[in-house]
Amino acid sequence: MPLCPQCHSADIEWRAAVAGGSVYTYTVVHHPTHPAFRDQVPYVVAVVELDEGPRIVTNVKHCRVEDVHGGMRVSIFFEEVTDSVSLPQAEPA
Ligand SMILES: [Zn+2]
């Protein structure tokens, strides 16, 4: 984020995290929002609360969508989308 979500300060910095957290909330996408996603449905879009506190929007992969639930423990890994873009993704811990 470009600003602190609590006080809107721009005085922010990068910090290392342990890459663990839990599913705060989620939804299962059944209808592709773009033809490029046609082969990926159903998939999970989740808000994951990291153990350090921040929440990130990500996908939960490497499990059945039916197995995802609130409070589920997850690990964060980075998936290379292109040669220059990597996205944080979650999987069951
Ligand atoms: Zn702040």
Side-chain angles (χ1 to χ4, degrees):
M1 292 185 168
L3 299 172
C4 171
Q6 270 84 43
C7 67
H8 300 168
S9 169
D11 184 20
I12 58 175
E13 63 186 12
W14 288 99
R15 289 194 186 168
V18 296
S22 58
V23 173
Y24 181 78
T25 188
Y26 71 99
T27 189
V28 179
V29 178
H30 292 277
H31 300 285
T33 54
H34 185 277
F37 298 120
R38 187 181 306 129
D39 295 338
Q40 298 182 32
V41 291
Y43 61 89
V44 175
V45 177
V47 176
V48 168
E49 186 168 83
L50 302 178
D51 290 338
E52 291 80 5
R55 294 175 184 162
I56 63 170
V57 177
T58 185
N59 302 115
V60 180
K61 297 188 166 183
H62 305 151
C63 65
R64 299 183 317 155
V65 296
E66 298 87 357
D67 293 338
V68 177
H69 57 273
M72 176 180 178
R73 290 294 301 169
V74 293
S75 297
I76 303 299
F77 66 99
F78 284 86
E79 183 175 85
E80 283 193 25
V81 179
T82 69
D83 288 342
S84 60
V85 175
S86 297
L87 293 176
Q89 301 286 280
E91 63 184 354

